[in-house]
Amino acid sequence: MPYGAWPSPIDAETVAADDGLPSWPTALAGQVWWAEPRPREGGRVALCRTRLDAPDHGSETVLPAPWNARSRVHEYSSRCYVLLPGSAGPAVVFSEFSDQRLYRYEPGGAAPLPLTPEPALPSGERYAEPIISPDGGEVWCVRESHIGPAPTDVVRAIVAVPLDGAAATDPDAIREIVTDRHFLACPRVSPTGGHLSWIGWDHPNMPWDATELRAGALTAEGRLEGTHTVAGGPDEAIVQAEWLDADTLCYISDPGGWWNLHRVRLSTGERGPLEPYLRTEECGGPLWQLGSTWCAALADGRIATIHGTATTSLGVLDPASGVMRDVDTGHTAWLPRLTPIGAGAWVVGLAAGPTIPGEVVAVDLDSGQWRSLSRPRDTTGEKVPFAAFLPRPQAEVFTGQNGVSVHANLYPPHHPEVTGPAETPPPYVIFVHGGPTGHSPMLYDLEIAYFTSRGIGVADVEYGGSTGYGRAYRERLRGNWGVVDVADCVTVARSLAETGRADPDRLAIRGGSAGGWTAAAALAFTDTFRCAAIRFPILDLVGWRTGETHDFESQYLESIVGPWPQQHRRYEERSPINHADRVSAPFVLLQGLDDPICPPAQCERFLERVAGREVAHAYLTFEGEQHGFRRAATMVTALHAELSLYAQVFGFDTDAPPVRLQH
């Protein structure tokens, strides 16, 4: 059958229902909890739990609708809850999305009790990465305070919130502990309660550029004394730190160009790698979400860690011998959500694979035994939805400009009963991940299968600037955003065409956020792609740098474009909005109307400059959606519009409702 027109059981509604991985697993008193997105419930995030000894591995929803456990610190859904002993098992303190206040909740009890005051500005006080204080009477967390009308009118602190609810009506009951850096992350209390550590950095750095690991002694009243930097600094990015004992911190940093495990002793200042050699692979990643954990310190001194490049594994390191041993669970993508369970050798994490949907798993690091906690199996084996229709991905390295390596994950068209016409290559869509300092692991993804099962190939490009391949690879984008990313996507697309794997006349590009920027720039500055799906994009660098985005990324462009305002001309020359006259290929533009990161104003200005030029396009907006789509109805409409665009441009029939392309 013609490529693109293959019949597929994977419809847009199925993709939307499956969208979003479980996240933030944690354990207490024999229970494991996690956060779970619910697109069919208006995009809310529920809290779920199960018992480790549950024979059927069943789970239950703990936090009832309409409660929505999601923190807006940095706008990227940071760790939003912490468990603590309750009257009948674990209780929880969580951040409620609608007002961003902290609430305490006893499952099965009364309604959640507010712990923080109603903010003066709507959602103006936000909390993330909570931990319980040494005396058990407070929750300590990162607080992000919005103090003015501008998105960058923000201050942050690590604060102590009393668990008795006193601060709900008395803001002065919240005590500031740390205020030494503009950005703060990873608060950790030493095992004896004598020290607090945290990670900090300042503008214009991003957390993958340069951060510091800081520490200080705690008084009996929970106040800090003698704070100092114990590791990190310029050109070194520490992304996580955990206490091994009362005097020793294990931390993930990249002084050698790769994120590896290191150790520092507070009493002597002695520090160095935990292994006898530095690995040429990553044991860490970009700190987009506060609370991300690539390693977990075990009670016996060993360290569980995620490591790899295109694929990742779960290993356990013995610092005494320097030996790393992997635990084979069959998963090929481990996400930074690793945490220990109790005092034994078990850890809980989030893992997936090309044919394994993302799941919360508990692993015994000694025996290798593991079980899924969020996805039950039946007695005959695993149930993988649509297994026969899933693509068979492969990682490939292409040769780009000047001989540089360009990484990509390829998902060729696949169907158990249908093939394309003989001697005819299929259409391909270049997927561009966000970030741009990001990564696209190969895992079970029904959105990709939605296209490949219909006969459309997907190439997910890990362009220069992506993480997972060392600092040198991600710094290929330094000063070159809009150049290197576009060139690498063109390299992969043209290589696929030149080798007969893709039709050169049926190449598309799609991406969201920073990926939307690259897709738009590819239309403006190259003639490689016949059409594009552009989702909640950045289109105007000048506007984005001068106040049209949030504080976290407000100076991101200093590194990947250049210093402002010295490089004002470069900002203008790179922006697709200033080259709308070069865009001739059809496109669909998809935008959430409540997006604080990439606001709709940029799309509207871009469309004003496209108007009247006979360029076929559609602009779809979605009320209530922020950065990224979370509601099932939005996801369905967006997928239908994208497939309809490809059908109209590439000339095949589709089951998607047609999107009307205007001129």
Side-chain angles (χ1 to χ4, degrees):
M1 296 184 65
Y3 289 112
W6 300 356
S8 173
I10 304 174
D11 55 27
E13 288 77 11
T14 300
V15 175
D18 184 72
D19 190 81
L21 297 172
S23 194
W24 310 122
T26 191
L28 181 67
Q31 295 184 13
V32 174
W33 291 44
W34 63 89
E36 187 171 283
R38 299 283 176 84
R40 291 177 174 173
E41 297 180 26
R44 87 174 182 105
V45 177
L47 294 179
C48 303
R49 70 177 176 184
T50 189
R51 291 199 59 84
L52 279 173
D53 57 3
D56 60 354
H57 305 165
S59 64
E60 63 172 324
T61 300
V62 186
L63 189 64
W67 294 95
N68 187 353
R70 181 176 151 212
S71 170
R72 288 186 59 187
V73 170
H74 294 185
E75 299 290 1
Y76 284 114
S77 300
S78 298
R79 180 180 284 275
C80 58
Y81 75 97
V82 65
L83 300 182
L84 68 159
S87 59
V92 64
V93 171
F94 70 96
S95 173
E96 160 58 31
F97 175 73
S98 62
D99 59 11
Q100 289 298 289
R101 300 170 75 184
L102 287 180
Y103 289 80
R104 178 173 178 167
Y105 178 58
E106 294 264 0
L113 171 73
L115 298 182
T116 55
E118 186 75 39
L121 295 175
S123 299
E125 300 284 344
R126 306 171 183 183
Y127 306 87
E129 206 170 359
I131 61 174
I132 301 301
S133 65
D135 65 6
E138 298 173 322
V139 58
W140 294 1
C141 56
V142 176
R143 182 183 67 188
E144 181 180 273
S145 301
H146 293 249
I147 58 175
T152 53
D153 292 337
V154 176
V155 295
R156 296 177 182 84
I158 295 175
V159 298
V161 178
L163 285 167
D164 61 6
T169 55
D170 180 12
D172 291 337
I174 297 177
R175 179 169 53 87
E176 291 187 347
I177 306 173
V178 178
T179 58
D180 62 343
R181 296 293 184 269
H182 187 65
F183 295 100
L184 299 162
C186 202
R188 297 290 190 271
V189 177
S190 64
T192 59
H195 288 84
L196 177 72
S197 66
W198 65 95
I199 296 170
W201 69 97
D202 292 303
H203 280 313
N205 289 314
M206 298 299 289
W208 41 85
D209 295 327
T211 63
E212 296 176 320
L213 177 57
R214 305 267 293 163
L218 285 170
T219 67
E221 296 77 27
R223 302 187 183 279
L224 278 175
E225 293 181 340
T227 62
H228 61 289
T229 297
V230 298
D235 301 318
E236 185 176 349
I238 297 174
V239 294
Q240 184 189 351
E242 304 293 340
W243 291 92
L244 297 182
D245 56 46
D247 186 48
T248 310
L249 277 160
C250 165
Y251 64 96
I252 300 173
S253 189
D254 64 344
W258 296 83
W259 274 308
N260 279 199
L261 295 171
H262 295 72
R263 171 173 52 196
V264 59
R265 300 189 189 280
L266 267 64
S267 58
T268 65
E270 175 191 3
R271 61 177 181 262
L274 271 171
E275 293 185 89
Y277 60 91
L278 292 173
R279 292 174 171 263
T280 54
E281 63 177 1
E282 304 284 34
C283 298
L287 192 59
W288 281 103
Q289 297 174 302
L290 300 188
S292 296
T293 50
W294 294 265
C295 71
L298 306 181
D300 63 7
R302 292 181 298 166
I303 302 164
T305 184
I306 299 166
H307 63 100
T309 52
T311 60
T312 50
S313 303
L314 174 64
V316 56
L317 173 67
D318 181 357
S321 65
V323 174
M324 174 92 79
R325 177 180 57 83
D326 282 352
V327 181
D328 184 10
T329 63
H331 302 88
T332 57
W334 285 84
L335 288 302
R337 301 291 185 268
L338 206 59
T339 189
I341 301 177
W346 284 80
V347 296
V348 63
L350 175 60
T355 59
I356 306 175
E359 56 188 354
V360 176
V361 295
V363 183
D364 184 336
L365 298 173
D366 287 337
S367 68
Q369 175 187 355
W370 70 277
R371 67 186 70 155
S372 174
L373 303 179
S374 61
R375 191 168 65 91
R377 268 74 164 176
D378 64 12
T379 57
T380 62
E382 294 189 14
K383 280 188 174 180
V384 179
F386 310 106
F389 293 86
L390 299 177
R392 278 44 174 173
Q394 58 196 52
E396 188 165 331
V397 182
F398 296 82
T399 301
Q401 295 179 353
N402 301 317
V404 300
S405 296
V406 179
H407 298 268
N409 299 325
L410 302 186
Y411 299 82
H414 177 77
H415 194 289
E417 300 171 351
V418 181
T419 60
E423 307 301 324
T424 303
Y428 253 82
V429 181
I430 299 297
F431 273 39
V432 192
H433 65 67
T437 311
H439 181 65
S440 293
M442 285 187 293
L443 43 75
Y444 178 92
D445 188 333
L446 288 186
E447 185 174 51
I448 289 177
Y450 178 78
F451 296 106
T452 57
S453 63
R454 287 169 166 76
I456 302 171
V458 169
D460 205 345
V461 180
E462 300 273 56
Y463 50 87
S466 301
T467 53
Y469 306 96
R471 180 180 277 263
Y473 192 79
R474 71 178 185 267
E475 289 194 344
R476 283 185 57 217
L477 207 61
R478 185 169 288 274
N480 287 308
W481 193 35
V483 178
V484 164
D485 49 321
V486 173
D488 286 358
C489 289
V490 168
T491 288
V492 173
R494 289 181 176 172
S495 296
L496 291 172
E498 290 167 1
T499 55
R501 290 180 284 177
D503 186 339
D505 295 322
R506 292 191 293 174
L507 296 171
I509 188 168
R510 68 99 81 164
S513 189
W517 152 272
T518 303
L523 291 194
F525 301 117
T526 80
D527 58 1
T528 301
F529 303 101
R530 288 285 309 280
C531 61
I534 305 170
R535 302 155 62 94
F536 39 93
I538 302 165
L539 297 167
D540 179 1
L541 293 180
V542 174
W544 211 68
R545 180 61 182 84
T546 57
E548 286 187 339
T549 192
H550 61 149
D551 180 63
F552 177 59
E553 295 178 88
S554 62
Q555 297 187 34
Y556 194 177
L557 304 183
E558 293 286 307
S559 62
I560 59 176
V561 179
W564 176 267
Q566 296 92 319
Q567 295 292 344
H568 184 279
R569 178 169 293 183
R570 182 186 295 175
Y571 281 66
E572 292 183 332
E573 290 174 346
R574 298 264 182 92
S575 297
I577 197 169
N578 296 325
H579 301 280
D581 59 318
R582 298 185 184 182
V583 176
S584 59
F587 64 87
V588 293
L589 190 55
L590 308 164
Q591 178 67 48
L593 292 179
D594 296 335
D595 192 337
I597 299 173
C598 297
Q602 294 216 348
C603 290
E604 293 160 5
R605 293 200 301 271
F606 180 75
L607 291 172
E608 288 174 0
R609 301 186 185 189
V610 170
R613 295 192 50 253
E614 298 299 316
V615 179
H617 68 277
Y619 181 44
L620 281 67
T621 60
F622 304 98
E623 292 186 3
E625 291 285 10
Q626 295 186 312
H627 198 62
F629 302 146
R630 291 178 172 83
R631 300 179 178 182
T634 302
M635 298 173 191
V636 169
T637 300
L639 266 182
H640 282 163
E642 184 174 350
L643 182 58
S644 176
L645 170 73
Y646 301 153
Q648 294 179 56
V649 174
F650 295 155
F652 60 80
D653 295 328
T654 179
D655 56 354
V659 63
R660 181 173 176 269
L661 299 178
Q662 302 176 352
H663 292 275

